[in-house]
Amino acid sequence: MESGRVFIAVAGVWALFVTAHAAKPYPIDDSTGYGRTFDGIGGISGGGATSKLLVNYPQPYRDQVLDFLFKPNFGAALQILKVEIGGDACSTDGSEASHMHNSWEENYQRGYEWWLMLEAKKRNPNIKLYGLPWAFPGWVGGPTRDNPWTDPERPAYYVLNWLRGAKAVHNLTIDYLGIWNERMYSIPYIKLLRKTLDDNGFSNVKIVGADKKWEIADDILQDEELGAAVENIGCHYPGTFSDPSAMKTGKQLWASEDYSTFNDNVGGGCWGRILNMNYVNGNMTATISWNAIASYYNPLPWFRTGLMTAVEPWTGNYAVESPIWITAHTTQFTEIGWRYLRHGAGVGNFTGGGSYVSLVSPDGKDLTIVIETMSHDHSICVRPPLEPYNVTKQRVTFQLKGSFASITSLNMWYSRLFNGAVNVTGTMFERQAPLKVVNGMVQLDVAVDEAITLTTVSGGQKGSYPPPPSSQPFPSTYNDDFEGYPEHMEPNNLAQQTGSFEIIDVGSPHNKVVRQMVLSQPVHWCKAEGRTNRSINLIGNYNWTDVTVQMDAKVGEVNGSSGYFVAARVDRGGGESDQAEGIFLYIFPNKSKYHLSGDFEHKKGITEGELPSSNSDWNNVMLTVQGGTASGTYNNQKLFNVSIPANPKYGFVAIGTDSWGIVDYDNLMIKAKPVANLRQKPKDNTLYYKPKA
Ligand SMILES: *[C@@H]1O[C@H](CO)[C@@H](O)[C@H](O)[C@H]1NC(C)=O
Ligand SMILES: *[C@@H]1O[C@H](CO)[C@@H](O)[C@H](O)[C@H]1NC(C)=O
Ligand SMILES: *[C@@H]1O[C@H](CO)[C@@H](O)[C@H](O)[C@H]1NC(C)=O
Ligand SMILES: *[C@@H]1O[C@H](CO)[C@@H](O)[C@H](O)[C@H]1NC(C)=O
Ligand SMILES: *[C@@H]1O[C@H](CO)[C@@H](O)[C@H](O)[C@H]1NC(C)=O
Ligand SMILES: *[C@@H]1O[C@H](CO)[C@@H](O)[C@H](O)[C@H]1NC(C)=O
Ligand SMILES: *[C@@H]1O[C@H](CO)[C@@H](O)[C@H](O)[C@H]1NC(C)=O
Ligand SMILES: *[C@@H]1O[C@H](CO)[C@@H](O)[C@H](O)[C@H]1NC(C)=O
Ligand SMILES: *[C@@H]1O[C@H](CO)[C@@H](O)[C@H](O)[C@H]1NC(C)=O
Ligand SMILES: *[C@@H]1O[C@H](CO)[C@@H](O)[C@H](O)[C@H]1NC(C)=O
């Protein structure tokens, strides 16, 4: 136990320390060489539609959010941006548009990942870009529409086109390409992809294998050609440990998707711990957060598991959460290409718990030491489980040796996520007085749940803007005639869950409309989508109960869907295991029938009937749901007024198609009974703190 307590002054900071925990100095030493090369810290946009609500943020708030993510020396200063290569199918929080919905066309204005990459590059020209498919359009999936690898030429051509579009249309150079997110990989495809890239002027594009666990390592050890094709191994949720086979390949090892944890201060603790421990335990040289920014409706799956949160384009409200500042502790004082010091010479665990990593600039002159002392219960990530361990406050002494022996002072940046057992206030990324280095020795007292950077780099900035507008619920009256968009964009706030919806100019009188583009079942990624052939697109507020939704719609003359719907009280999106329920008014123009159903699959029929005759392709449909009744009209003629099931009680508004195929939508109008503001407040972190009895 504690053998004594002494108050000492360390660089002007009074701190309590416990002599029992004072350990031998930890050497920081380059004289025996370096460890691995640092490949950066990044975030993922996609997998899927995680940036959807950021796109139409009002300025200046949109730029502010982008600055917190990407601007060097400001916030997270991300070094890698990994994006989804949209595949027209659900990939968790929605579906992202493919550049080739069909084999016979291509278009590089769809979706928002191009825009996001351009914004990131504008702020940091050195940011690395990494593309990865989650789903593929059906034609890439071959005859069975579920296996992209039956003919590797197809996916290689598809991905090559994406790279070409990035370059030709947006002047974007992609640095890394993945295979298929968390699904089977094909060795023949990986080899063909390498050859295709090399033959087409993309030999600079490196392949990451295989965005699953470490399984590709064994294949690489047995297959030299595969080893030559794959630049590095990307594992998801490695739990800070790599695998002996992966080490044996000699490849750079990445946590190419990690984190996924609610972004309160426990999330910040998780992120701080794994950023260090992925190298300390696993020799991983890059860690990429799913997701970069939580910009999808509450409560779609994994709400707020991004580095920060921006879910209100209608107000501009956003929240910079602790993972932004935890990221800054490393990214603001390093660059890709810096080198880690060796284990035991600048990298390791502290004896009292916690860890440190040291990184050195390519010229060997700059040194950055990142320390974390996250306690077990304040750094739990959602996966994998975290074995118990203890962290105590402790005095840490570093002994600077080799090239660093002459350093006399280190700049210091400090965060504390929790203040002992009481509530969090959280100190985030504060500059402290520099620490003196005396005869190569530097001492500091570290407490629990801290992140500290000691560095010779003099930059660093805790970027800030005036507070954004306050949070408000989604507007209860909402109209869009879709005239205000460039063609091929996705309409604002309509969060496509399955299928792909884009603005098309059909000429007078409707001009710009929203068109559902997907003609056949994609190579799906979300389970629920594999069991349907329908598209669904959500908008509004999950807590809406009473709502009127109205729109004009027209089934495509060619390749049209068998029908379409408007819906209210829709309880979920496409990324969950069960299909959505709600009140769905389906219109089948060709059969001249309507069907009111309690679910997306229209299996829970409520009422049905004949449509009044119509001379037009375009028809107006209106659904009102109020208390226990629903009423509907078609071209202002009454269809029904009936009792509806008590559940779901509330939910989103939605539009969509019955089968895959074209439907055009125009003049969407929503009027809802106002509800209280739903933005989930930061959780009370005391809930997470479970002191042992
Ligand atoms: C394309 O981007 C590069 C930097 O990556 C820049 O040097 C070049 O001028 C750009 N070309 C055009 C046409 O904008
Ligand atoms: C560091 O400490 C953690 C927690 O006790 C432990 O799981 C891990 O194996 C240690 N790593 C090394 C490299 O000593
Ligand atoms: C990481 O690399 C160090 C040598 O730099 C080695 O001692 C350690 O065993 C490696 N870790 C793993 C998990 O292979
Ligand atoms: C943590 O400390 C407690 C109390 O000293 C001890 O009972 C427990 O075994 C320790 N846990 C680990 C994983 O060392
Ligand atoms: C901790 O938080 C709770 C709920 O927010 C509050 O009631 C309480 O006063 C706080 N306690 C301290 C010590 O700040
Ligand atoms: C979807 O449509 C395809 C082709 O029309 C059909 O083979 C498949 O069974 C359908 N899937 C479901 C779940 O209905
Ligand atoms: C309709 O589908 C066929 C292939 O089935 C395709 O050749 C044609 O271009 C499509 N037309 C439109 C307008 O989508
Ligand atoms: C619906 O009817 C139109 C015109 O009668 C026809 O061109 C189209 O192929 C039909 N669509 C479907 C899905 O049956
Ligand atoms: C539907 O019927 C209820 C009574 O059952 C009535 O209160 C309501 O006004 C009707 N709505 C419409 C749109 O006719
Ligand atoms: C919707 O309202 C209910 C009841 O007020 C509340 O418990 C729930 O958290 C709200 N939903 C969301 C997504 O905030």
Side-chain angles (χ1 to χ4, degrees):
M1 283 304 291
E2 300 176 1
S3 62
R5 287 182 166 182
V6 192
F7 281 94
I8 55 150
V10 179
V13 180
W14 284 95
L16 174 74
F17 88 99
V18 177
T19 49
H21 295 132
K24 282 196 297 202
Y26 301 98
I28 305 292
D29 188 0
D30 62 355
S31 62
T32 59
Y34 294 107
R36 295 189 166 215
T37 300
F38 175 64
D39 292 316
I41 295 175
I44 301 174
S45 172
T50 56
S51 305
K52 169 67 198 179
L53 296 177
L54 179 61
V55 182
N56 56 301
Y57 253 65
Q59 295 289 29
Y61 311 112
R62 189 173 79 173
D63 275 343
Q64 293 176 0
V65 169
L66 293 164
D67 286 348
F68 280 112
L69 292 172
F70 300 117
K71 191 174 167 182
N73 259 315
F74 191 84
L78 292 176
Q79 294 157 324
I80 302 170
L81 172 60
K82 178 174 175 180
V83 302
E84 176 170 349
I85 300 177
D88 288 343
C90 168
S91 48
T92 299
D93 288 294
S95 68
E96 299 202 20
S98 172
H99 57 291
M100 298 184 75
H101 297 309
N102 301 296
S103 58
W104 60 83
E105 49 90 42
E106 57 192 298
N107 181 295
Y108 300 91
Q109 305 297 344
R110 294 173 180 152
Y112 34 80
E113 302 299 357
W114 306 116
W115 164 77
L116 190 64
M117 288 190 278
L118 287 166
E119 292 291 333
K121 276 279 180 192
K122 199 157 80 186
R123 287 167 174 77
N124 175 9
N126 297 326
I127 197 168
K128 297 289 182 193
L129 301 177
Y130 174 174
L132 174 69
W134 267 250
F136 296 90
W139 64 272
V140 182
T144 55
R145 310 230 142 212
D146 63 359
N147 184 351
W149 313 135
T150 50
D151 178 1
E153 296 275 355
R154 266 190 327 259
Y157 163 73
Y158 174 73
V159 166
L160 175 65
N161 277 352
W162 188 79
L163 289 175
R164 282 178 164 155
K167 189 85 217 160
V169 179
H170 301 289
N171 193 26
L172 284 168
T173 299
I174 305 298
D175 300 284
Y176 294 95
L177 263 186
I179 310 301
W180 187 11
N181 185 69
E182 294 173 8
R183 295 289 181 270
M184 62 180 168
Y185 53 87
S186 151
I187 293 170
Y189 167 70
I190 296 171
K191 292 175 178 174
L192 177 69
L193 178 63
R194 182 68 271 156
K195 184 173 181 316
T196 305
L197 299 178
D198 293 344
D199 291 350
N200 289 278
F202 290 102
S203 50
N204 62 303
V205 180
K206 296 165 177 160
I207 295 178
V208 181
D211 280 298
K212 286 164 65 74
K213 289 290 181 188
W214 297 110
E215 50 281 80
I216 199 169
D218 286 326
D219 292 318
I220 287 173
L221 290 172
Q222 286 162 27
D223 185 335
E224 228 170 277
E225 191 192 344
L226 177 66
V230 172
E231 177 76 12
N232 51 20
I233 303 185
C235 173
H236 289 197
Y237 307 97
T240 80
F241 290 93
S242 52
D243 156 297
S245 299
M247 283 298 292
K248 222 181 284 170
T249 63
K251 301 275 177 201
Q252 291 285 85
L253 310 180
W254 288 15
S256 57
E257 182 177 323
D258 214 333
Y259 181 61
S260 289
T261 299
F262 192 81
N263 62 19
D264 61 7
N265 285 9
V266 173
C270 153
W271 186 231
R273 181 172 52 79
I274 64 180
L275 287 183
N276 266 20
M277 296 305 279
N278 279 348
Y279 191 74
V280 173
N281 285 344
N283 293 312
M284 283 169 266
T285 56
T287 298
I288 308 180
S289 167
W290 189 83
N291 43 66
I293 179 151
S295 277
Y296 38 99
Y297 286 115
N298 182 13
L300 291 178
W302 303 97
F303 187 61
R304 271 187 64 186
T305 61
L307 301 175
M308 63 181 285
T309 310
V311 293
E312 288 189 14
W314 49 91
T315 62
N317 178 267
Y318 63 83
V320 181
E321 322 275 8
S322 62
I324 290 285
W325 302 119
I326 291 294
T327 314
H329 271 281
T330 301
T331 54
Q332 289 202 12
F333 311 103
T334 58
E335 283 178 35
I336 290 173
W338 281 41
R339 283 162 298 178
Y340 283 100
L341 287 177
R342 298 177 63 169
H343 286 70
V347 169
N349 280 338
F350 290 130
T351 52
S355 69
Y356 62 105
V357 296
S358 305
L359 295 117
V360 183
S361 60
D363 64 7
K365 293 196 175 125
D366 274 310
L367 170 69
T368 292
I369 305 170
V370 185
I371 293 167
E372 63 79 23
T373 56
M374 303 308 167
S375 58
H376 180 273
D377 291 356
H378 286 170
S379 72
I380 291 179
C381 307
V382 299
R383 61 180 169 240
L386 181 59
E387 297 300 319
Y389 65 88
N390 289 322
V391 182
T392 51
K393 55 191 170 190
Q394 57 197 299
R395 162 158 285 199
V396 164
T397 307
F398 293 114
Q399 183 169 22
L400 275 46
K401 296 174 154 177
S403 316
F404 314 122
S406 56
I407 291 174
T408 56
S409 137
L410 288 167
N411 300 306
M412 179 167 169
W413 290 81
Y414 177 81
S415 297
R416 188 164 191 194
L417 296 178
F418 289 83
N419 186 8
V422 295
N423 294 0
V424 190
T425 39
T427 304
M428 298 295 167
F429 199 60
E430 302 287 348
R431 187 196 283 273
Q432 307 279 305
L435 278 190
K436 285 219 161 19
V437 186
V438 180
N439 297 327
M441 303 287 265
V442 58
Q443 287 192 335
L444 69 162
D445 292 310
V446 296
V448 177
D449 296 324
E450 291 180 339
I452 300 170
T453 304
L454 304 179
T455 181
T456 58
V457 176
S458 54
Q461 187 196 169
K462 184 173 182 182
S464 70
Y465 285 113
S470 61
S471 175
Q472 297 288 333
F474 190 95
S476 52
T477 301
Y478 186 86
N479 299 326
D480 200 345
D481 64 7
F482 307 113
E483 296 307 319
Y485 302 85
E487 268 199 296
H488 307 295
M489 270 196 67
E490 276 181 32
N492 295 342
N493 303 322
L494 274 158
Q496 61 190 38
Q497 296 293 302
T498 66
S500 200
F501 294 71
E502 66 191 60
I503 304 292
I504 301 287
D505 192 339
V506 296
S508 185
H510 276 270
N511 299 311
K512 287 184 181 159
V513 303
V514 175
R515 175 169 294 176
Q516 199 296 114
M517 305 295 290
V518 176
L519 302 184
S520 65
Q521 177 79 338
V523 180
H524 67 272
W525 195 84
C526 297
K527 281 197 191 91
E529 190 168 9
R531 298 197 298 266
T532 187
N533 273 323
R534 272 175 266 280
S535 70
I536 181 168
N537 197 334
L538 303 179
I539 187 167
N541 188 320
Y542 176 71
N543 267 14
W544 277 347
T545 53
D546 292 356
V547 59
T548 293
V549 51
Q550 183 173 185
M551 69 179 184
D552 297 330
K554 177 195 164 184
V555 166
E557 282 150 34
V558 181
N559 300 335
S561 169
S562 48
Y564 52 84
F565 67 81
V566 289
R569 297 186 188 171
V570 176
D571 68 347
R572 72 194 78 187
E576 292 163 82
S577 45
D578 296 313
Q579 305 294 359
E581 300 198 339
I583 303 300
F584 287 76
L585 171 53
Y586 270 94
I587 302 291
F588 304 105
N590 273 33
K591 293 188 195 152
S592 204
K593 288 237 156 68
Y594 71 85
H595 186 184
L596 186 72
S597 179
D599 66 336
F600 179 42
E601 293 291 288
H602 55 75
K603 285 182 180 148
K604 299 188 173 169
I606 300 168
T607 186
E608 61 190 328
E610 291 283 323
L611 291 172
S613 64
S614 156
N615 297 322
S616 167
D617 293 338
W618 280 96
N619 294 289
N620 181 273
V621 186
M622 181 167 89
L623 170 69
T624 297
V625 175
Q626 200 170 12
T629 60
S631 58
T633 68
Y634 190 68
N635 301 325
N636 296 317
Q637 299 189 57
K638 181 180 166 183
L639 295 179
F640 56 83
N641 182 3
V642 293
S643 296
I644 52 173
N647 291 307
K649 290 186 173 42
Y650 44 79
F652 294 104
V653 158
I655 63 171
T657 62
D658 178 48
S659 62
W660 297 115
I662 292 171
V663 171
D664 290 343
Y665 305 86
D666 203 4
N667 302 319
L668 177 67
M669 298 201 271
I670 301 170
K671 196 151 178 33
K673 190 169 106 188
V675 291
N677 191 7
L678 294 185
R679 187 184 184 280
Q680 205 162 327
K681 291 209 179 67
K683 278 188 191 163
D684 176 1
N685 287 288
T686 52
L687 296 177
Y688 284 91
Y689 189 76
K690 296 183 196 87
K692 305 277 176 313

